[in-house]
Amino acid sequence: MPDLALLALIMVAMLAGYLLGRAEKKKKKEHFPEQPLSKEYFVGLNYLLNEQTDEAIETFIKALDLNNDTVDTYLALGSLFCRRGEVDKSIRVHQDLLARPSLTPLQSIRVQLELAKDYMTAGLFDRAEAMLVDLSRQNHEYRVDALQQLLRIYEREKEWPQAVEITESLRKLCGEDYAPRLAHLYCEIAEDKLRLNDRSGARKYIRAAYSRDKNCVRASLILGRMEMEEGRDRDAIKALQKVSYQDNRYVPLTLDMLETVCHRSDQQRALGSYLAKCLNEKPGTAIILAMTAQLMNSRGEVSAMDFLTGQLRRQPSLRGLNALMNIQLNYPSEPSLTSIKLLKEVTDQMLVSKPVYQCFSCGFAGKEMHWHCPGCHEWGTLAPVQGVEGE
């Protein structure tokens, strides 16, 4: 019923648009004979009241004159159907509008843009792309919207070079807000190059990512991984530690690689100093656990347990508690092993069900890191979950 009421309001708006259009014509002419509203309008209204929306739309479209006032009403009607999931009806409204020869060039562009959005909603990406490519090459006030919709298609289809081209155009038109997005797109191409074992190509696009966003964490992670795989440990450490001042929320993503490289190059002491610095700047469970592992290797389980216990008092977390129980089970010093085992089983189960990463834009949560949020489709908005149940 709410949809029907909203549709009725739109039809009332159509009537208002019709009357306003007639009034405008009357102003422009010295004499304009009064023209009563056609009987088709009332036939359409009857269809509407009987919830025969298809027939109502058909009748209204045929009955009403097209003028500057009614174009907006038709577009609102199309948007209503699209929101309701009745994309075929929205397409029909917009196609009927496009067939009207009285549309101005700008109105035609606007209707084409709405029709392209309908095609996208319906999954007809080829049709939408063809329309949007044409619209994006023209100079008009809706060009940015056309480019944005085209970018959505290329990102969805993972056509990264085309997405880069469109985003570069948007950056020139709208400014540097598009720079971080561009950096992610260049990183996508770099990842594709790595899958093809084109490492020099990957480095080229990592440089391109940095040129658009010097604080691109993802570029540093890819570069650090490449340096590690190629045996350049010093360069790997430099790239990975760069993340701590780019955005220290992502330091946990670097720790496994850093531990591998520092162990391989016998730089555990340097790693300990770096972890202490990170812990001082932004305490987090992943850093605490990495330092606990360092202490286990260098000073033994007693020092590691003391450190971890102290940190958990200040910053409790499930992962930290789980790690503490692990140490106590492996190095029992108290007779309460049964209760510790039971508690560990409970925390194990809790950790299995908890998300590891969450989008700070839309709230999407999951166990895998996504640079392109599956929820809101923004770039670089997922980060490790913080707090008691977090990283």
Side-chain angles (χ1 to χ4, degrees):
M1 282 303 288
D3 282 342
L4 186 61
L6 185 53
L7 186 56
L9 286 175
I10 287 180
M11 295 311 174
V12 170
M14 279 186 165
L15 173 59
Y18 176 89
L19 296 174
L20 285 170
R22 291 296 183 197
E24 187 64 27
K25 288 178 182 177
K26 191 172 183 179
K27 286 179 187 176
K28 292 179 181 178
K29 294 184 179 182
E30 291 184 2
H31 176 70
F32 192 89
E34 257 188 45
Q35 294 187 21
L37 204 60
S38 66
K39 67 176 183 180
E40 284 85 356
Y41 182 85
F42 296 102
V43 172
L45 191 59
N46 185 56
Y47 280 134
L48 181 61
L49 293 173
N50 287 301
E51 299 189 25
Q52 295 174 271
T53 53
D54 284 347
E55 293 83 351
I57 295 163
E58 195 72 43
T59 305
F60 278 121
I61 286 174
K62 287 178 180 176
L64 289 180
D65 286 344
L66 189 69
N67 55 57
N68 288 338
D69 300 294
T70 57
V71 167
D72 286 339
T73 309
Y74 279 118
L75 290 174
L77 181 62
S79 296
L80 169 65
F81 286 131
C82 204
R83 287 199 303 273
R84 287 173 51 180
E86 298 174 277
V87 188
D88 55 330
K89 294 179 183 176
S90 183
I91 289 173
R92 200 174 83 206
V93 169
H94 293 138
Q95 285 177 335
D96 182 85
L97 269 176
L98 275 181
R100 302 292 183 96
S102 54
L103 279 180
T104 67
L106 191 59
Q107 285 173 337
S108 176
I109 285 170
R110 189 178 171 196
V111 176
Q112 287 178 68
L113 184 57
E114 292 304 316
L115 182 56
K117 291 177 184 178
D118 290 341
Y119 287 147
M120 288 171 65
T121 304
L124 303 171
F125 296 112
D126 288 345
R127 288 191 192 179
E129 181 184 354
M131 285 189 104
L132 291 168
V133 166
D134 183 54
L135 290 173
S136 66
R137 288 173 179 167
Q138 300 174 43
N139 225 0
H140 51 80
E141 62 183 84
Y142 299 109
R143 188 181 176 212
V144 168
D145 196 359
L147 286 166
Q148 289 170 338
Q149 298 305 320
L150 193 54
L151 177 58
R152 284 182 57 201
I153 292 176
Y154 290 144
E155 288 181 343
R156 184 185 180 97
E157 299 297 304
K158 301 186 186 300
E159 296 178 8
W160 306 125
Q162 293 93 324
V164 163
E165 182 182 351
I166 297 299
T167 312
E168 288 286 8
S169 297
L170 284 166
R171 187 177 71 91
K172 291 173 185 174
L173 290 169
C174 304
E176 293 304 314
D177 285 349
Y178 281 92
R181 190 184 201 124
L182 264 171
H184 276 287
L185 294 172
Y186 282 124
C187 285
E188 289 287 354
I189 299 176
E191 295 273 23
D192 285 346
K193 294 292 182 184
L194 282 176
R195 281 188 279 272
L196 297 171
N197 203 30
D198 180 3
R199 303 184 82 82
S200 62
R203 287 180 181 276
K204 171 187 169 184
Y205 285 103
I206 291 299
R207 289 193 296 272
Y210 279 136
S211 74
R212 291 294 174 253
D213 181 11
K214 65 180 180 180
N215 291 320
C216 181
V217 167
R218 191 178 179 188
S220 297
L221 289 169
I222 297 172
L223 182 60
R225 186 175 81 238
M226 288 176 64
E227 303 291 20
M228 179 183 75
E229 291 169 351
E230 293 171 16
R232 286 190 282 271
D233 292 345
R234 188 181 298 275
D235 292 332
I237 291 170
K238 182 180 176 182
L240 293 168
Q241 290 187 350
K242 188 176 183 178
V243 172
S244 67
Y245 58 83
Q246 287 177 319
D247 190 336
N248 56 17
R249 290 175 300 179
Y250 293 95
V251 166
L253 300 182
T254 69
L255 296 178
D256 286 345
M257 286 188 284
L258 273 173
E259 287 173 355
T260 298
V261 172
C262 289
H263 178 75
R264 187 168 69 189
S265 57
D266 196 24
Q267 296 192 55
Q268 287 94 332
R269 186 184 295 272
L271 177 60
S273 300
Y274 172 70
L275 291 173
K277 170 180 167 290
C278 291
L279 187 63
N280 183 55
E281 291 173 353
K282 186 177 176 62
T285 303
I287 297 170
I288 291 169
L289 295 183
M291 286 199 70
T292 301
Q294 287 285 106
L295 287 169
M296 281 282 291
N297 292 329
S298 61
R299 301 184 191 175
E301 68 276 3
V302 175
S303 294
M305 279 195 291
D306 287 344
F307 169 77
L308 184 53
T309 302
Q311 292 296 324
L312 286 173
R313 286 199 178 100
R314 285 191 291 273
Q315 188 173 322
S317 72
L318 282 175
R319 284 186 64 206
L321 180 60
N322 197 261
L324 181 60
M325 288 187 291
N326 239 349
I327 297 173
Q328 289 178 332
L329 286 171
N330 289 324
Y331 304 95
S333 57
E334 297 180 10
S336 54
L337 285 180
T338 303
S339 60
I340 292 174
K341 284 178 181 177
L342 179 61
L343 188 55
K344 187 175 186 310
E345 287 173 10
V346 172
T347 56
D348 279 340
Q349 292 172 8
M350 291 176 71
L351 286 170
V352 165
S353 63
K354 293 297 176 185
V356 181
Y357 304 100
Q358 186 167 26
C359 175
F360 47 82
S361 177
C362 73
F364 172 88
K367 288 192 169 296
E368 292 185 19
M369 179 63 189
H370 297 275
W371 293 106
H372 194 204
C373 176
C376 62
H377 306 297
E378 292 296 324
W379 288 93
T381 55
L382 265 76
V385 174
Q386 304 292 322
V388 174
E389 298 180 358
E391 61 87 15

